[in-house]
Amino acid sequence: MNNYIEIVKACIKGNRKAQKQLYQLFADKMFGVCMRYADDVDEAKDILQDGFIKVFMNLEQFNHKGSFEGWVRRIMVNTALEKFRDKNYLFAVNMEQGYESRDKEYDHILSELAAKDLLKMVQELSPQYRMVFNLYAIEGYSHKEICEMLNIKEGTSKSNLSRAREILKEKIKKNSDVKIKYI
Amino acid sequence: MKVHLSNMDQVFRDKLENFQHKPPDEVWNNIEQKLDGKKSSNILIYKIAASLAILTFIASLYFNLNRTSYPYSYKITPRYTETAKDHKLPDKSFKYSAISMADINLENENSKGWSFLQEEKIVVHPAERINNEEIASLTTLPVAIDEHRNRPDILIKKIPPKQSLFADIFPEFSAVNYEEYNINHSNASKKWMIGGAIAPSYSYRHIPESNILTGNSYYNNLESPVFTYSGGLNIQFKAQKRFSIQAGIYYSTMGQDMNYISVYANQLYQIAGDKTRDNYINTYEIINSAGDIKFNSPLVFFDETATARVRNLSVSKNDIMLSETFLDNVHANIRQSFEYIEVPLIFRYKVLDKTLGINILGGVGANFLVGNNVYLIYDNNKDVIGKTNGVNNINYSGLLGLGLEYPIMNNLNILIEPSLKYYLNPINSNLEIESHPYSLGIYTGVSYSF
């Protein structure tokens, strides 16, 4: 995978072939990321496109110390957040109390669900729940980091997360019901 | 993994963290297009700069032409030609001739104001800037222009989404949480926009109901608004996603018409010999809400409203009765016109950030008086007869507006901005009457972001 260092160098020089290569190398993965954050396919396409332009414009800034993929991914996430902030300039402060519960019964159903089903569930979350869930559960940010990113209170981030989890559990349950019906 | 995840989170993470999906082909095509667009942007800047220069030039021509003093040419007031020295009443030798007002003007401030503006050329330095409006428009914070290299940097950091203006201006004081991928330190994001706009304006003044004896309705009945033009260049700095600061340099004309003043051409002046002709030139003083106007003229001015707005200061020299048959009515208008170079500081807040952008504008401006003329307007001619005395050289104005912007090309927007400018101070601080000029203009123009 280290050969992309060469590709990156060529990209910096503006080599179009290399740029396309770099794009092709990461497009699928990054589109996967974008799809988790976006409202719909069009928005996912926008995020991917804008994100890649940022990548190309700022390739020189990559210091080759960290993971390049991680760097690209961060740009995509940032771009997605940017879009989210643009659309949701005023956040509704949600002080709803969440509760943590561990429903073991769903865990096995969960593991059987396909990534696409899970993605669909995440996509169906309302934008703010989706952001919080993605950032926390999948990207691995802490609530403290998330509340800074989204300009919400830490409590809001927490309650959004547990609410998102509740909704996802509901969806998993429904999904399994449907599956059982068809089996 | 930094944080504890619930079981469910873990499943989502395992399955979605590396979820892949092929994006539609068009995405790459769009990226390619934008990357291409970047290359031509330097040329585009030159094009914009050139068109702005042309626009300025045309505008200056327009204003200069409009201000040229034409010699009088009364269709109704014949005058002896120079050859008719025998003082016979000549029938055919009457000629539509010129009395050059330039000879008798107290002052003719020709085009001073606009030439000042022409000197203020805005120079665009596009050369080294890797300018990329896409970057600029995509993100407020991760992107910044490094002063030394003029290249956008990306800050991969946990961004506080609404960084304060203070933090933007003094990034070194703001808490920045740099991360592992964090590259060079960089200034906060910078986004610039240059533009030019021109506006037809409605200009008048507001006289607060104050302690003046006559009240404001007196002047409101006798004076009326004028339609003028205004235009200029501006530069905008986008401090935050929706918040910009704009400065610029504008030329604008404000003014008012004086009504119910009759103007007559005096036949005696036309037929008088060289020695006696001067006897028919009178010194007038016209008083209105903006100040007083003192001038010499062979024309006869008379206030139709029987108020004391028009005074003939030299009446003893030459008593004129309006009933005289040697007075020919000239259908003329008297217009007070003030030209300003305005340097505004405007704050813009974007309330709608879609393809069509809507901004709310508010600001203040310093207005430097560069032209002060009173015109006599007749038969499409415009002659300077004098100036308004006592008006301030610097005025401060407040501005409110609504800006619509719509992209026509990559970095190029067209703008339509109705805005109201109001002079916070009275135009003439020597008067008891407080006359605050204002103008309502619809600015149309283009702006280019880089």
Side-chain angles (χ1 to χ4, degrees):
Chain A
M1 259 321 256
N2 262 352
N3 62 343
Y4 65 70
I5 293 176
E6 290 310 310
I7 300 177
V8 167
K9 280 181 185 165
C11 287
I12 290 171
K13 287 178 185 155
N15 183 321
R16 182 53 48 83
K17 257 191 179 171
Q19 286 172 333
K20 189 167 185 182
Q21 240 179 321
L22 192 76
Y23 171 78
Q24 282 169 341
L25 213 52
F26 291 106
D28 293 10
K29 257 184 199 169
M30 295 309 144
F31 197 52
V33 174
C34 297
M35 283 171 81
R36 272 193 288 118
Y37 284 91
D39 276 345
D40 49 36
V41 181
D42 280 342
E43 197 182 75
K45 276 169 15 188
D46 281 356
I47 297 169
L48 185 70
Q49 180 186 320
D50 296 352
F52 259 105
I53 287 165
K54 281 189 208 170
V55 167
F56 286 128
M57 293 306 296
N58 296 280
L59 270 179
E60 270 181 71
Q61 312 302 325
F62 177 62
N63 57 13
H64 297 287
K65 280 177 192 158
S67 133
F68 183 71
E69 186 183 324
W71 186 75
V72 175
R73 198 186 178 98
R74 293 291 290 273
I75 292 179
M76 294 298 158
V77 173
N78 275 345
T79 310
L81 290 182
E82 198 66 44
K83 285 248 187 306
F84 168 72
R85 283 197 293 262
D86 278 3
K87 280 189 304 187
N88 303 274
Y89 200 70
L90 297 170
F91 296 109
V93 178
N94 189 345
M95 292 308 291
E96 195 180 327
Q97 274 301 315
Y99 46 92
E100 303 268 334
S101 62
R102 305 203 64 183
D103 290 289
K104 288 252 163 81
E105 52 171 309
Y106 295 121
D107 291 353
H108 71 282
I109 306 171
L110 249 175
S111 58
E112 284 167 16
L113 285 172
K116 278 205 169 177
D117 297 322
L118 297 181
L119 178 69
K120 190 166 176 288
M121 292 174 194
V122 172
Q123 283 172 337
E124 282 169 359
L125 290 172
S126 74
Q128 186 159 331
Y129 290 167
R130 190 167 64 226
M131 296 298 140
V132 172
F133 184 77
N134 267 318
L135 291 170
Y136 184 89
I138 298 170
E139 251 71 53
Y141 290 108
S142 69
H143 283 301
K144 195 168 187 306
E145 291 167 315
I146 293 169
C147 71
E148 278 173 12
M149 286 167 147
L150 298 179
N151 198 25
I152 54 179
K153 289 179 180 159
E154 201 170 329
T156 310
S157 175
K158 281 180 184 165
S159 72
N160 281 348
L161 177 70
S162 36
R163 185 71 194 120
R165 282 174 176 164
E166 291 305 314
I167 294 168
L168 289 172
K169 270 178 197 165
E170 281 302 306
K171 285 183 193 289
I172 292 162
K173 191 164 179 279
K174 269 186 200 161
N175 193 296
S176 65
D177 288 348
V178 172
K179 283 215 162 156
I180 289 159
K181 262 186 212 168
Y182 288 102
I183 286 171
Chain B
M1 208 194 316
K2 292 178 185 171
V3 290
H4 168 76
L5 297 179
S6 74
N7 243 12
M8 191 189 72
D9 292 352
Q10 190 61 56
V11 175
F12 271 91
R13 185 175 206 182
D14 290 346
K15 293 203 170 172
L16 292 184
E17 189 177 17
N18 291 311
F19 174 76
Q20 300 192 15
H21 197 269
K22 191 176 171 7
D25 293 341
E26 66 197 72
V27 176
W28 170 249
N29 296 338
N30 290 344
I31 293 171
E32 214 172 6
Q33 259 180 22
K34 295 225 169 174
L35 291 172
D36 285 338
K38 181 197 87 191
K39 282 179 187 161
S40 59
S41 57
N42 279 356
I43 300 163
L44 198 60
I45 291 186
Y46 285 122
K47 281 185 187 167
I48 303 303
S51 26
L52 283 180
I54 291 168
L55 198 73
T56 315
F57 178 71
I58 291 171
S60 69
L61 270 188
Y62 174 84
F63 285 114
N64 277 330
L65 282 179
N66 247 11
R67 297 171 44 108
T68 309
S69 238
Y70 295 104
Y72 276 19
S73 191
Y74 300 123
K75 293 186 176 95
I76 47 160
T77 51
R79 171 194 171 189
Y80 278 120
T81 59
E82 286 303 292
T83 51
K85 281 182 176 168
D86 51 1
H87 291 270
K88 266 193 226 162
L89 272 179
D91 295 323
K92 301 272 155 62
S93 61
F94 270 113
K95 204 176 178 183
Y96 296 98
S97 66
I99 307 166
S100 172
M101 285 300 286
D103 304 338
I104 51 172
N105 274 346
L106 292 172
E107 223 170 317
N108 188 352
E109 308 224 324
N110 198 14
S111 309
K112 194 170 83 188
W114 191 241
S115 59
F116 172 52
L117 184 65
Q118 280 173 305
E119 284 161 19
E120 294 285 335
K121 290 220 170 86
I122 286 189
V123 182
V124 182
H125 296 291
E128 293 164 22
R129 183 136 296 183
I130 289 222
N131 133 59
N132 190 304
E133 113 285 5
E134 285 88 5
I135 288 288
S137 66
L138 291 175
T139 170
T140 43
L141 289 158
V143 172
I145 307 294
D146 186 299
E147 284 297 329
H148 305 296
R149 280 169 301 149
N150 279 333
R151 298 188 71 97
D153 288 345
I154 193 152
L155 286 180
I156 306 300
K157 59 169 183 176
K158 306 284 176 58
I159 345 145
K162 288 184 212 158
Q163 199 168 340
S164 69
L165 180 60
F166 175 80
D168 267 354
I169 296 169
F170 306 106
E172 64 270 28
F173 295 123
S174 66
V176 182
N177 177 12
Y178 291 106
E179 276 272 324
E180 46 171 322
Y181 301 119
N182 198 354
I183 310 104
N184 313 336
H185 117 93
S186 169
N187 291 332
S189 67
K190 281 181 187 169
K191 297 165 204 177
W192 295 92
M193 206 180 242
I194 51 166
I198 193 158
S201 311
Y202 166 94
S203 167
Y204 200 30
R205 81 286 177 281
H206 167 239
I207 301 175
E209 193 75 60
S210 60
N211 57 350
I212 51 167
L213 222 59
T214 44
N216 59 7
S217 61
Y218 169 76
Y219 288 105
N220 289 342
N221 287 335
L222 300 177
E223 294 162 6
S224 59
V226 293
F227 289 93
T228 63
Y229 286 89
S230 159
L233 303 172
N234 63 58
I235 183 156
Q236 249 182 64
F237 172 69
K238 201 167 182 179
Q240 288 192 330
K241 181 73 188 165
R242 288 165 184 264
F243 179 71
S244 308
I245 301 170
Q246 178 185 331
I249 183 155
Y250 286 82
Y251 166 87
S252 66
T253 312
M254 315 278 279
Q256 59 182 9
D257 275 348
M258 274 173 276
N259 304 321
Y260 307 110
I261 293 176
S262 299
V263 183
Y264 300 91
N266 188 351
Q267 283 180 23
L268 295 177
Y269 175 77
Q270 322 289 337
I271 57 173
D274 288 341
K275 283 176 191 165
T276 53
R277 186 172 289 158
D278 281 356
N279 291 339
Y280 297 98
I281 294 176
N282 292 296
T283 303
Y284 288 95
E285 185 182 49
I286 299 181
I287 297 162
N288 74 355
S289 64
D292 66 288
I293 306 147
K294 215 182 266 186
F295 60 97
N296 295 334
S297 176
L299 299 170
V300 177
F301 293 81
F302 180 74
D303 184 359
E304 293 171 21
T305 61
T307 54
R309 284 187 300 162
V310 180
R311 287 164 62 200
N312 184 349
L313 301 180
S314 52
V315 72
S316 55
K317 193 160 70 173
N318 173 25
D319 239 343
I320 299 166
M321 301 298 289
L322 280 173
S323 54
E324 301 284 4
T325 51
F326 48 78
L327 292 181
D328 294 316
N329 199 346
V330 178
H331 296 286
N333 241 357
I334 301 172
R335 176 167 302 171
Q336 269 172 310
S337 169
F338 306 103
E339 290 154 86
Y340 294 98
I341 293 294
E342 185 192 0
V343 182
L345 182 68
I346 297 167
F347 300 95
R348 308 167 68 94
Y349 183 77
K350 198 167 238 178
V351 285
L352 181 70
D353 193 8
K354 304 275 176 186
T355 314
L356 173 75
I358 299 181
N359 296 284
I360 294 175
L361 285 68
V364 289
N367 299 268
F368 302 94
L369 183 72
V370 291
N372 171 3
N373 289 304
V374 179
Y375 294 104
L376 188 71
I377 299 169
Y378 60 97
D379 297 341
N380 296 324
N381 289 336
K382 206 171 164 186
D383 287 312
V384 178
I385 55 171
K387 65 174 188 174
T388 309
N389 295 319
V391 291
N392 302 333
N393 285 323
I394 302 176
N395 297 282
Y396 299 97
S397 57
L399 181 133
L400 273 181
L402 187 72
L404 309 176
E405 59 183 45
Y406 190 82
I408 46 172
M409 270 197 270
N410 264 351
N411 306 358
L412 196 65
N413 287 317
I414 47 170
L415 309 165
I416 298 179
E417 299 188 340
S419 61
L420 173 73
K421 181 169 61 187
Y422 183 84
Y423 280 28
L424 304 171
N425 56 289
I427 188 173
N428 189 334
S429 26
N430 303 320
L431 291 184
E432 193 184 356
I433 309 155
E434 291 186 358
S435 170
H436 297 262
Y438 65 83
S439 76
L440 191 64
I442 300 173
Y443 284 86
T444 45
V446 290
S447 74
Y448 176 78
S449 53
F450 60 97

